[in-house]
Amino acid sequence: MHLTINGETHALDIEPRVTLLDALRERLALTGTKKGCDQGQCGACTVHVDGQRVLACLTLAAQVEGRSITTIEGLADEDGTLHAVQAAFLEQDAFQCGYCTPGQIMSAVACIREGHAGSDEEIREYMAGNLCRCGAYPHIVAAVRQAARELRS
């Protein structure tokens, strides 16, 4: 099987039942995508497939063959310039332990791209699938709001 991840094609010899999350973490050493609940409940494993957010723990690697996958490792520019959402998360101190941060950032990018960052309430609703055990939600919402403003201008 061939997967295109962060613009690079990878050949993998894996069983059909291997999830995208396990392929990323265990076969390709892309450990930025986190394994939280492994049941699609926490959002820690959020990645983009053809620009849409997807829970990697509920997606078989075989399902995304031939599609474009973006992980947190592929979000920044090649020169290391952070994506506006990554920069806003740093500026707004939108993390504590950091475990949920990659999934939060990937969902935030999609939330903004989907046009669901018009108000704090809308941001909360469209980010609701991503849990933060530390309770950094006010900072996360502020970061999404800041990044949305910056990306619009």
Side-chain angles (χ1 to χ4, degrees), residues 49-79:
V49 176
D50 293 337
Q52 301 296 311
R53 56 181 139 176
V54 169
L55 297 173
C57 73
L58 297 181
T59 305
L60 297 175
Q63 290 176 284
V64 294
E65 185 171 22
R67 298 171 74 188
S68 177
I69 302 158
T70 304
T71 67
I72 192 72
E73 291 91 347
L75 201 54
D77 291 339
E78 285 187 27
D79 68 0

